[in-house]
């Protein structure tokens, strides 16, 4: 294997958050975690500070409010978890496939991210502007691209910058069978580890997240022109035609 070329920048001031939306509580084995670890290894090899958690290990109340204890929930650990998510330049959501869809845990996490989307940053933009997002999917049934499509849409709608090739996944043969990282029937390579498609997309995704986060950080995020809610409410229209009609 040829020696890897030097990256075009340093990334050791970046932070990344990986949220594993498996249905398996710790310390149970998670196929999704096994794939996430591949991306995490690239991040850490380039000095990125990585934080992570399994959402199912925490009492994340359903709902679309920042703190659901203010809306009837007895316990809600999301506010503390959200502070960790907001501390990261990069967010990667990992999810298994169930009945062709992302896990219910992943949907719950996205709903709670959405609960914060109306808040603003110090430039008056929506809170998640200036951050970068990606998704990783595992399973043994079809659905990788479908799940990536919906999840990446949700992240960009919230304000995350989604770079090209911002998804990675592994499904093996469609139908019941081994999952990513399982012991093989033959040989000594864990299932999926030698899959070039998954390995390539995981690498592309990770580096594209790094490059995009680097550009955003170096340029102070997204320019605050044409996207500040308070200015729109005050009548600013940034060249939108027919401003007299509101």
């Amino acid at each position: 294997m040829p020696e890897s070329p030097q990256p075009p920048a340093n990334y050791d001031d970046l932070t990344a958050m990986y949220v594993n939306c498996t249905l398996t509580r710790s310390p149970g084995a998670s196929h999704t975690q096994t794939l996430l670890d591949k991306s995490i290894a690239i991040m850490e090899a380039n000095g990125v500070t990585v934080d992570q958690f399994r959402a199912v290990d925490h009492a994340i109340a359903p709902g679309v409010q920042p703190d659901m204890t203010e809306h009837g929930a007895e316990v809600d650990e999301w506010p503390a978890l959200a502070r960790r998510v907001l501390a990261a330049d990069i967010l990667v959501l990992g999810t298994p496939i169930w009945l062709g869809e992302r896990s219910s845990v992943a949907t719950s996490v996205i709903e709670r991210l959405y609960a914060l989307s109306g808040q603003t940053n110090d430039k008056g933009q929506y809170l998640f502007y200036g951050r970068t997002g990606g998704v990783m999917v595992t399973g043994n049934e079809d659905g990788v691209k479908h799940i990536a499509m919906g999840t990446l849409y949700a992240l960009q709608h919230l304000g995350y910058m989604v770079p090209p090739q911002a998804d990675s996944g592994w499904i093996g043969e469609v139908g019941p069978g081994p999952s990513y990282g399982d012991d093989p029937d033959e040989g000594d390579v864990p299932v999926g580890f030698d899959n070039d498609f998954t390995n390539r997309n995981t690498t592309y995704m990770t580096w594209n997240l790094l490059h995009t986060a680097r550009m955003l950080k170096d340029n102070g995020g997204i320019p605050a022109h044409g996207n500040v809610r308070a200015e729109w409410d005050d009548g600013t229209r940034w060249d939108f035609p027919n401003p007299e009609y509101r």
Side-chain angles (χ1 to χ4, degrees):
M1 181 180 297
E3 183 177 348
S4 296
Q6 291 297 310
N10 291 322
Y11 306 92
D12 56 9
D13 60 335
L14 297 179
T15 54
M17 167 61 79
Y18 286 74
V19 181
N20 184 353
C21 298
T22 176
L23 301 184
T24 303
R25 295 181 182 275
S26 298
S30 164
H31 300 103
T32 303
Q33 186 65 50
T34 303
L35 183 56
L36 290 175
D37 286 344
K38 301 294 186 180
S39 176
I40 290 170
I42 296 173
M43 293 275 187
E44 292 182 335
N46 287 275
V48 177
T49 300
V50 175
D51 190 9
Q52 59 181 307
F53 64 86
R54 288 191 193 186
V56 75
D57 289 341
H58 300 274
I60 300 176
V64 289
Q65 299 297 329
D67 185 347
M68 290 305 299
T69 63
E70 299 175 357
H71 300 270
E74 292 185 5
V75 180
D76 187 9
E77 294 183 44
W78 176 252
L81 295 171
R83 287 192 288 272
R84 291 166 61 184
V85 172
L86 289 168
D89 301 299
I90 299 167
L91 173 64
V92 178
L93 297 181
T95 178
I97 303 169
W98 293 109
L99 297 175
E101 300 286 350
R102 66 189 175 221
S103 72
S104 57
V105 175
T107 296
S108 180
V109 168
I110 290 170
E111 287 172 346
R112 297 309 301 276
L113 290 169
Y114 184 72
L116 303 171
S117 64
Q119 299 180 23
T120 55
N121 62 21
D122 57 5
K123 295 194 291 186
Q125 301 165 313
Y126 289 124
L127 195 58
F128 296 110
Y129 272 52
R131 295 174 172 82
T132 306
V135 60
M136 304 186 77
V137 185
T138 62
N140 55 20
E141 57 182 284
D142 201 7
V144 170
K145 292 182 178 179
H146 169 73
I147 291 170
M149 175 178 64
T151 303
L152 292 175
Y153 167 78
L155 290 178
Q156 66 80 31
H157 185 76
L158 297 177
Y160 279 92
M161 176 74 78
V162 174
Q165 188 55 64
D167 64 294
S168 174
W170 188 91
I171 53 172
E173 294 184 11
V174 176
S179 295
Y180 188 81
D182 280 347
D183 292 333
D185 292 331
E186 299 179 2
D188 57 2
V189 178
V191 172
F193 278 29
D194 58 354
N195 186 285
D196 188 68
F197 182 81
T198 296
N199 294 342
R200 185 185 71 226
N201 283 355
T202 297
T203 303
Y204 283 11
M205 180 208 72
T206 307
W207 278 105
N208 287 341
L209 289 170
L210 285 169
H211 296 322
T212 303
R214 176 78 279 151
M215 289 187 289
L216 286 170
K217 200 174 191 76
D218 288 348
N219 289 280
I222 302 295
H225 180 89
N227 55 35
V228 176
R229 177 63 185 267
E231 293 181 17
W232 176 271
D233 291 344
D234 285 342
T236 303
R237 287 299 178 263
W238 303 290
D239 302 323
F240 184 83
N242 300 321
E244 67 271 18
Y245 296 104
R246 298 184 58 182

